Amino acid sequence: MRKIPVAALKPGMKVARPIYGSSGYVLIQQNVVLSRRYIEQLRQLGVPSLYIDDGLLDGYQIDDVVTDVTRMNAISRVRDLVTDLEQPNPASRIMLRTKEVARNVDQIVSELMSQPDLMVNLIDIRLEDDYLFGHSVNVCVLSLITGISAGLNNKQLVHLGVGAILHDVGKGVLPRNILYKPGPLTNTEFSVVKTHTSEGYSILRDMTHARDVAHEHHERYDGSGYPNGKKGDAISYNAQIASVCDVFDAVTSDRVYRAAYPIHEAVELIAGSGNQAFSLTLIQKFLENIAAYPTGSIIELSDGRIGIVIDTPRGFCQYPRVKLLYDQDTQPVTTPIEVHTLDDPSLIVKRVLPEQEIAKLRASRAR
């Protein structure tokens, strides 16, 4: 199973994971064989990418860290809460919605705690109109995984998760033409967007743990953030965790005005921000569970061989286990061979192959 851009889809490819639209309905089911019509519909709907099953990882299972049902339920709860903000006098409904959100967070905690060696190998695929809601849930999941690595107890994890899933709730009261602008913001527009931190604080003012995350997730460890330029541990611990996860999820998500960063580049971005944008200790906890080269990535090793990533051991995000596909002369490897880069100091990942090169290589060897 591999994630590829919709622009690279070809008729005959098989869908490996379903794509969900607004309100949780399925846009395209798993195991559907793509036709030109399907591909064109996906383009028109704004689907940025798709997981496809091309047989390269037969026999290997790749699961999300939370179930699709749990993720979609959480997205629906966030959507309901943000929708209520647009109604007159929403205070009573917001209290009810936050209780529903807390129950979803508790379920996410339970699922994550049952996986002691979990690694994030899948990036959820979301439509632009669902970006805020999917982003909120993903920041929650990533924050909880980091909190587990940091040794937080169950009660602390739920507090962290509720704050993380509601970190952007203040955006629900911002002008939609600014929030969903398909391009870079002007300085004036960015000033408006920055008010979502204080708006979030106001909406969540009776929820101490959540309001601090909403208010401080754009503060930075070196004092360069907003709204108050807080520095170091003057920033709440939960907000510090959420801020790392917020940036990571934002840069690895496709937007209408830019393509997503490859995961390994996002990992390098976060890793290089230690004790500047973020606490180095929290960065280390965050990266323990992130695969820089997610399962299904096709990579070239430093010795010239090409393979597909099977998995990555927890705590060693840049050292994947690889199933070899081609030798140094780009001849197909016919005998199954796995390489553990962690066990061979001479081997590192040289690069990730772009989809166009993968398609060309496979086509040339199929003749």
Side-chain angles (χ1 to χ4, degrees), residues 102-328:
R103 286 194 288 272
N104 281 116
V105 169
D106 192 61
Q107 177 62 31
I108 294 171
V109 170
S110 296
E111 291 185 14
L112 295 177
M113 291 290 281
S114 69
Q115 306 169 71
D117 297 317
L118 68 82
M119 287 290 287
V120 177
N121 270 295
L122 295 177
I123 299 298
D124 70 306
I125 296 169
R126 60 188 81 129
L127 304 185
E128 184 67 21
D129 287 348
D130 291 331
Y131 174 79
L132 175 61
F133 316 122
H135 170 70
S136 297
V137 173
N138 224 35
V139 170
C140 171
V141 171
L142 293 170
S143 295
L144 289 171
I145 292 171
T146 306
I148 291 169
S149 287
L152 300 187
N153 62 37
N154 193 277
K155 182 178 180 180
Q156 291 170 325
L157 288 170
V158 172
H159 285 158
L160 167 63
V162 171
I165 204 170
L166 298 177
H167 76 285
D168 268 346
V169 70
K171 288 184 176 178
V173 299
L174 299 186
R176 293 180 66 85
N177 65 310
I178 294 178
L179 190 61
Y180 294 105
K181 182 180 177 181
L185 300 175
T186 66
N187 290 338
T188 301
E189 289 167 338
F190 184 55
S191 294
V192 173
V193 170
K194 288 167 70 174
T195 65
H196 78 279
T197 55
S198 55
E199 294 287 0
Y201 182 89
S202 178
I203 293 164
L204 302 172
R205 57 185 173 274
D206 295 326
M207 301 176 65
T208 306
H209 300 284
R211 77 185 185 199
D212 289 343
V213 176
H215 198 220
E216 298 178 356
H217 68 278
H218 282 289
E219 301 286 4
R220 294 294 178 256
Y221 201 72
D222 60 3
S224 62
Y226 67 87
N228 296 317
K230 287 189 174 183
K231 188 175 183 179
D233 290 335
I235 308 166
S236 74
Y237 188 69
N238 286 356
Q240 289 188 55
I241 292 176
S243 66
V244 178
C245 302
D246 177 44
V247 170
F248 180 82
D249 186 71
V251 301
T252 56
S253 299
D254 287 294
R255 305 303 306 273
V256 292
Y257 51 87
R258 62 151 176 83
Y261 279 45
I263 303 299
H264 65 281
E265 291 184 11
V267 164
E268 291 173 5
L269 173 71
I270 297 294
S273 302
N275 290 339
Q276 298 174 44
F278 314 114
S279 157
L280 178 58
T281 300
L282 286 182
I283 285 175
Q284 292 168 341
K285 294 301 180 185
F286 171 76
L287 293 178
E288 281 183 11
N289 304 282
I290 304 295
Y293 306 99
T295 300
S297 301
I298 296 183
I299 54 99
E300 181 181 349
L301 296 169
S302 52
D303 64 1
R305 291 180 294 176
I306 293 171
I308 185 167
V309 174
I310 299 170
D311 57 31
T312 302
R314 182 177 180 273
F316 298 93
C317 71
Q318 294 182 310
Y319 295 92
R321 182 165 63 109
V322 179
K323 173 187 173 184
L324 294 181
L325 300 176
Y326 301 97
D327 64 19
Q328 288 92 335

